[in-house]
Every structure is written in structure tokens, then in C-alpha cells.
Amino acid sequence: MPLEPAKQQMAEQQHLPSEMCEKELDVVSGLMELLCIDLEAGEEERKAHKDHAACSKNVLRKQRHWERQLAAKKSKRKEEKQRRRLNRSQEAGANADPAQFTKRVMKAITKERLAEARSTGLKLCVDLSMTNCMSDKEISRLAGQLRRLYGSNKKATRPFHLFLTDLKEDSRLYQECVRMNDGFLNYNMEITEESCLDLFPSDTVVYLTPDAQKALETVDVDKVYVLGGLVDESIQKKLSLTRAAELGIHTARLPIDEYMVKKSNVKNFHSKILAINQVFDILVTFLETGSWTQALQTWLPAGKGYVISPGNSERLLAKTQTLQEE
């Protein structure tokens, strides 16, 4: 019966591939399961890392925010100390060096002074009702003078409460001021279409004009001073005096004749007509020093043909020496 073993062997050989396939499938399945486990573990690990990174970013962001707040508080305390020190120095009459203070501190101090001037400061108006008779070039020059006037007021120890009167929004001057002067609409002053008499009683108003007969002796806190906003290259006579007469108010001039004398020059030129910012600088300096001699000597241009009279020069020198000794 030799055929029986042979048949059995063939049968076993026929079943062998099937069993091998099953084993291979089991192996592949196991590998897939391991791969899935590795993928899930990797995903969980990446998620945990991502959560940790996000948490770390939040912590860092909060830390940076806290550090910025702390630095800002320190800077604010430092600036506040500087501001108080400067105010104390000025109240005591000491000459504090502005260079030791930051721009931010000086800006804050200036803002405080101008805000205080609006409630307690001396009042000064610039009458802009005469611009209709001015050329475009003169309008531009006047806009520049207004910018310099405002700049001087910002630097003053005792700034004025400023008013630009008779200034209409559709006027050439208003448009030129906006065009030429950065931040004009944010100037810390009053800009109005009304006249000075619409704002103040006539008996308190003094119009400053070079053609007035009476010299200004002092600056009175109860008065409102008016400068004629006028640039006149054709030198029309007595325009500001005529305007003051129309308003029916008192007039005064700077005491140039009382403290200065004419200086001989080649062109024999002498003039008391000043730009409004020059008049303003003289008033501010007089307020700070109490000396017309010093104010006029400092701000009256040499080209106007006037110098301080000898007697007043000696008094100014003596006063200066006394202040230096003190």
C-alpha cells in the first residue's frame, strides 16, 4: 500500500500554504496593532508637547506684560518725582536745569501750566479781524507769527490764557494756520469767531498799539490785553489804533521811548512796529523779570534802530550783578 503515504504527503503540502498565510496575517495584524499603538502614543505625546508649549507661551506673555507694567510704574514714579522737583525749584525761584528732565516730563509740566493758565492766567487776545486787507504772503507770515507766539507761551514760566478772536473757519488765515502749523487745532488756546468785546467787558480791555499815546507801565492781572493780528508790508498808518477806536477801548504802547533811544545808522531807519510774537515775548519777559529794560533789550530787534538808553543800561547792569550775588 505504498500509495497511501504519498497521498497523505500531498494533502499536507496542499494545506501548508494556507497555514502560512494565516501566520503571516497574524504577524501583519500584530505589527499593525503595534503601529497604531505607536501612532496613538506619538499623537498623545505631540498633544502634550503642544499644550506645554502653549502654556509656556502664556506664562512668558504674562511675565513680559508684568515686567512692562513694572517698568512703566517705575518710570512714572521717576517722572513724577522730577516734575515735583522742577515745580518746587521754580516756585522757590531756583534755576532748575530743564536738560536733566525727560521730554515726557517737560511735556507734562507744560500741559499742566497751560491748563492752569486757562483758569488763573493773565488773558491775552490776538485780534484777527483785519486779515481781509492782507495779501496771501502777509497771511502766511501772520500764521507763522501765531505759531511762534504759541511756542513762547508754552515755554513761559507764567503762560497767558490765549484767545484768537475774530477767526472764522472759512477764512484764509484759518486755513493757512491749519496748513502751516502742525497740531494747530489742538493748540491749548481759545479759537473763536467772536470779538474780544463779546468775551470781556470793555473797561477791562487794553489794546496794545505802537501809535497809542500812553505807555504801558505794568501788566495788570485784572486787564485783558489785545494784540492786533496784522502784517502790513505796505505800512498803512495807525490801523490798530483805528481798530481800537472802533471798539471804544483803552490803548497803550510798549515803553520804548521811556527806556530806549534811537541809534544812528546808515539808513537812518527807526521803527517801533513789531511782529505780534515779538510783542508777546517782551510781555512774557517783563512778567518773569519785572524789568522793561531787560525785556526790551532781549527782544527788540537791533534792526529797528533802538538801543537801551545809557541810564537804563547802568540800572540793568546793577540789577544783574545784584541777582548774581544773591
Side-chain angles (χ1 to χ4, degrees):
M1 307 288 293
L3 292 174
E4 291 298 331
K7 289 181 180 180
Q8 185 177 359
Q9 186 176 0
M10 289 177 63
E12 290 177 354
Q13 289 177 353
Q14 289 175 354
H15 288 287
L16 184 61
S18 177
E19 293 176 355
M20 290 179 63
C21 288
E22 289 180 358
K23 289 181 179 180
E24 290 177 356
L25 287 173
D26 290 340
V27 172
V28 172
S29 178
L31 290 174
M32 291 296 293
E33 289 179 359
L34 290 174
L35 182 59
C36 288
I37 292 172
D38 290 342
L39 288 173
E40 290 176 358
E43 184 65 26
E44 290 179 357
E45 188 175 330
R46 282 194 298 272
K47 185 177 180 182
H49 179 72
K50 184 177 180 181
D51 292 342
H52 178 72
C55 181
S56 299
K57 287 182 180 179
N58 287 333
V59 171
L60 289 173
R61 185 168 59 251
K62 289 180 180 179
Q63 184 176 355
R64 287 194 296 268
H65 179 67
W66 178 80
E67 289 174 351
R68 285 195 297 267
Q69 282 188 324
L70 184 62
K73 287 180 180 179
K74 288 182 179 179
S75 177
K76 188 175 181 181
R77 284 196 296 269
K78 181 179 179 181
E79 291 170 355
E80 188 63 30
K81 288 180 181 178
Q82 290 179 340
R83 186 162 49 192
R84 286 199 297 267
R85 186 162 70 248
L86 180 59
N87 287 335
R88 284 196 301 268
S89 299
Q90 291 177 341
E91 289 173 1
N95 294 321
D97 183 11
Q100 64 181 312
F101 300 102
T102 64
K103 290 182 179 180
R104 186 173 176 180
V105 171
M106 294 305 300
K107 187 176 180 179
I109 293 171
T110 298
K111 187 176 180 179
E112 286 181 2
R113 288 178 184 164
L114 293 175
E116 184 178 357
R118 291 177 79 116
S119 57
T120 62
L122 284 83
K123 298 177 178 59
L124 184 137
C125 299
V126 181
D127 175 21
L128 300 171
S129 63
M130 297 175 283
T131 57
N132 289 335
C133 62
M134 294 165 57
S135 67
D136 290 342
K137 181 181 178 181
E138 291 168 342
I139 290 288
S140 293
R141 287 183 58 191
L142 179 56
Q145 291 176 13
L146 290 173
R147 180 183 65 251
R148 289 188 285 274
L149 184 152
Y150 181 69
S152 295
N153 199 48
K154 287 173 62 178
K155 297 176 183 177
T157 304
R158 295 178 58 189
F160 281 83
H161 183 187
L162 297 178
F163 296 79
L164 301 186
T165 62
D166 293 278
L167 181 58
K168 296 178 173 59
E169 290 189 9
D170 60 349
S171 66
R172 289 181 299 156
L173 178 60
Y174 186 95
Q175 294 169 3
E176 191 68 0
C177 285
V178 172
R179 185 187 71 83
M180 287 182 57
N181 306 337
D182 290 339
F184 174 75
L185 298 180
N186 295 321
Y187 279 7
N188 203 331
M189 61 168 65
E190 312 292 345
I191 300 176
T192 176
E193 296 184 3
E194 297 180 300
S195 73
C196 56
L197 292 187
D198 293 325
L199 303 174
F200 306 105
S202 60
D203 58 343
T204 65
V205 180
V206 178
Y207 207 113
L208 299 180
T209 168
D211 300 307
Q213 292 184 351
K214 183 180 178 181
L216 186 66
E217 297 179 1
T218 188
V219 178
D220 191 343
V221 295
D222 297 323
K223 299 294 184 182
V224 178
Y225 296 93
V226 181
L227 303 181
L230 180 68
V231 174
D232 181 24
E233 295 182 345
S234 63
I235 313 298
Q236 300 179 54
K237 299 295 184 180
K238 301 183 178 180
L239 285 177
S240 56
L241 184 64
T242 302
R243 170 63 175 165
E246 291 174 355
L247 296 173
I249 55 180
H250 298 292
T251 60
R253 58 175 171 80
L254 293 176
I256 296 175
D257 290 335
E258 285 70 18
Y259 291 88
M260 308 188 82
V261 293
K262 293 180 178 180
K263 179 183 179 181
S264 59
N265 55 69
V266 177
K267 296 182 179 181
N268 194 31
F269 174 78
H270 303 90
S271 174
K272 302 173 188 174
I273 299 175
L274 304 175
I276 56 172
N277 58 292
Q278 293 170 339
V279 177
F280 183 78
D281 286 334
I282 291 171
L283 293 176
V284 169
T285 303
F286 173 74
L287 275 178
E288 294 177 351
T289 64
S291 169
W292 283 116
T293 301
Q294 186 170 341
L296 292 168
Q297 185 180 53
T298 303
W299 295 110
L300 193 77
K304 295 295 181 180
Y306 284 85
V307 293
I308 297 297
S309 62
N312 285 314
S313 295
E314 293 173 2
R315 286 195 293 272
L316 177 60
L317 179 60
K319 184 176 180 179
T320 303
Q321 291 175 343
T322 302
L323 290 173
Q324 290 175 347
E325 291 173 359
E326 292 177 352

